[in-house]
Amino acid sequence: MSDRDGSLSVALVRSVAELTGREVSSLPPLHESIDPDALERLFEPTATGPRIGTIEFRYAGYLVTVARATDFMITLEDIEPTDENETSSPG
C-alpha cells in the first residue's frame, strides 16, 4: 500500500478503491467504519522505529485487514452477499 501523501487513512481508501475497481468518491466515508485519527495513531512510528501490528474492520462491504511488519499491507475479504450467494426464504 502506497502512502504517498503521508496519510494512512487516505492511502487505505485509495487502495480499497483500486482493489475493488471503484472510484474513491463511490466509497462510503471511512469514519463510518473506523476512526481515521485512531487508525493513524495506531500505526504512528515510535522512538525506536515503525509500529508493527494488525487491525481488522468492515468497510465498503469488505473485511479490511491492515497490517504492518516493515511496510503496510492491506487485504480485503468480501463479506457482502452477491446475487449468486443470496438465499431467499420461502414464502
Side-chain angles (χ1 to χ4, degrees):
M1 180 167 76
S2 175
D3 190 13
R4 293 178 291 232
D5 70 355
S7 168
L8 173 58
S9 299
V10 170
L12 175 98
V13 173
R14 287 180 182 159
S15 294
V16 170
E18 183 178 323
L19 290 169
T20 61
R22 296 169 65 181
E23 294 292 326
V24 169
S25 61
S26 74
L27 295 172
L30 184 61
H31 72 267
E32 291 179 359
S33 297
I34 192 168
D35 180 339
D37 292 332
L39 180 63
E40 299 287 341
R41 286 190 306 273
L42 182 65
F43 288 104
E44 279 180 344
T46 65
T48 59
R51 192 176 306 230
I52 19 185
T54 303
I55 187 168
E56 290 184 339
F57 57 95
R58 293 173 184 246
Y59 176 64
Y62 292 89
L63 177 63
V64 177
T65 304
V66 178
R68 182 171 194 173
T70 53
D71 291 322
F72 283 104
M73 184 163 125
I74 180 174
T75 57
L76 301 178
E77 180 182 335
D78 192 353
I79 56 175
E80 282 190 347
T82 62
D83 290 340
E84 297 171 359
N85 296 335
E86 288 179 334
T87 58
S88 59
S89 56

